[in-house]
Amino acid sequence: DTGVSQDPRHKITKRGQNVTFRCDPISEHNRLYWYRQTLGQGPEFLTYFQNEAQLEKSRLLSDRFSAERPKGSFSTLEIQRTEQGDSAMYLCASSQVQSLATLYEKLFFGSGTQLSVL
Amino acid sequence: AQKITQTQPGMFVQEKEAVTLDCTYDTSDPSYGLFWYKQPSSGEMIFLIYQGSYDQQNATEGRYSLNFQKARKSANLVISASQLGDSAMYFCAMRGLGGGADGLTFGKGTHLIIQP
């Protein structure tokens, strides 16, 4: 169990550029989440996958944001035409859920990708 | 909609003392789960403890316990015998009946500093 890994750790980009972040969840975890955390705030839920299916994406911040999880393994989060307001920490988390009805779900988070848009 | 309020932006505590981190919540869901996560400077959120809204007893996990008062909508985290390694940001979070579709709603966090 190597934990959730995210790449890159830091990304600096110019406004208007596209960026893509990668998340490798704990192997065999069936759920994968993306969160955004801005300075002084708690994480904010963006989207999640159950295996390869993206079951919730209405919380993505705009149509510039998209996420994929091909084959139910790693996931990517892409931001197109970045804006300075996109500067934040982007966190990925994974979990193994046995029952869809349970409220208890232990998330394992990665260390995040810190995005700075100049 | 769910809301988490953490009213303590920062706390300084002497090593070996007990610590209580406050959390109040608001939700219209009849069933919900409450969570506490720790975020050290490395950035990785670490799960600490969980309390279900219908659990009869307060949750405990080692040095962590959750003081759950449903009528007051509070879910305070208690850390017994604090250690220097407990210095970190602490976030209270909740989820409702939507399960994964809701994600977790987090508070703004409390920055805990343990002093020797």
Side-chain angles (χ1 to χ4, degrees):
Chain A
D1 183 349
T2 58
V4 178
S5 63
Q6 292 188 245
D7 184 69
R9 192 76 172 86
H10 302 275
K11 177 70 176 179
I12 300 174
T13 190
K14 292 183 179 179
R15 188 176 54 186
Q17 298 293 305
N18 298 344
V19 294
T20 300
F21 311 140
R22 178 179 171 121
C23 171
D24 287 274
I26 293 172
S27 59
E28 298 180 358
H29 272 190
N30 54 10
R31 276 198 182 170
L32 187 147
Y33 293 80
W34 285 99
Y35 284 82
R36 182 181 80 156
Q37 186 176 20
T38 54
L39 199 61
Q41 303 293 321
E44 175 187 12
F45 170 65
L46 296 179
T47 187
Y48 92 107
F49 295 83
Q50 179 80 28
N51 299 310
E52 68 274 10
Q54 189 174 14
L55 298 186
E56 174 58 50
K57 55 183 180 180
S58 67
R59 305 278 284 276
L60 286 167
L61 300 164
S62 79
D63 58 7
R64 298 184 296 105
F65 288 69
S66 63
E68 294 182 341
R69 192 185 184 196
K71 302 179 183 178
S73 56
F74 72 93
S75 176
T76 58
L77 178 69
E78 181 182 15
I79 309 174
Q80 296 182 330
R81 305 181 304 281
T82 53
E83 302 172 357
Q84 288 184 328
D86 297 332
S87 296
M89 174 77 82
Y90 291 84
L91 295 167
C92 175
S94 69
S95 68
Q96 178 65 28
V97 176
Q98 303 298 337
S99 166
L100 296 180
T102 183
L103 284 167
Y104 173 72
E105 183 178 354
K106 182 177 179 180
L107 297 186
F108 294 81
F109 282 81
S111 296
T113 293
Q114 181 66 52
L115 172 66
S116 297
V117 181
L118 305 178
Chain B
Q2 292 142 9
K3 184 177 180 181
I4 295 285
T5 302
Q6 294 180 254
T7 58
Q8 304 154 309
M11 288 185 70
F12 289 85
V13 174
Q14 289 296 119
E15 188 180 8
K16 301 182 183 177
E17 290 185 350
V19 182
T20 297
L21 304 181
D22 295 340
C23 171
T24 58
Y25 61 90
D26 192 23
T27 181
S28 56
D29 287 336
S31 296
Y32 48 89
L34 295 155
F35 303 77
W36 278 91
Y37 280 83
K38 173 184 178 181
Q39 187 176 40
S41 56
S42 60
E44 181 181 340
M45 303 279 285
I46 301 167
F47 169 84
L48 296 178
I49 197 166
Y50 166 82
Q51 179 82 45
S53 59
Y54 285 101
D55 292 343
Q56 294 298 311
Q57 298 201 342
N58 287 343
T60 61
E61 289 280 355
R63 293 187 300 113
Y64 304 107
S65 61
L66 202 152
N67 183 1
F68 179 47
Q69 298 186 46
K70 194 171 182 178
R72 300 178 69 176
K73 294 189 175 181
S74 74
N76 298 340
L77 177 70
V78 180
I79 306 174
S80 63
S82 58
Q83 302 171 356
L84 296 178
D86 293 333
S87 295
M89 286 293 296
Y90 288 81
F91 292 94
C92 180
M94 73 178 302
R95 71 187 302 178
L97 291 173
D102 284 345
L104 284 172
T105 298
F106 285 85
K108 291 186 176 183
T110 295
H111 189 191
L112 176 65
I113 297 174
I114 307 299
Q115 297 176 312

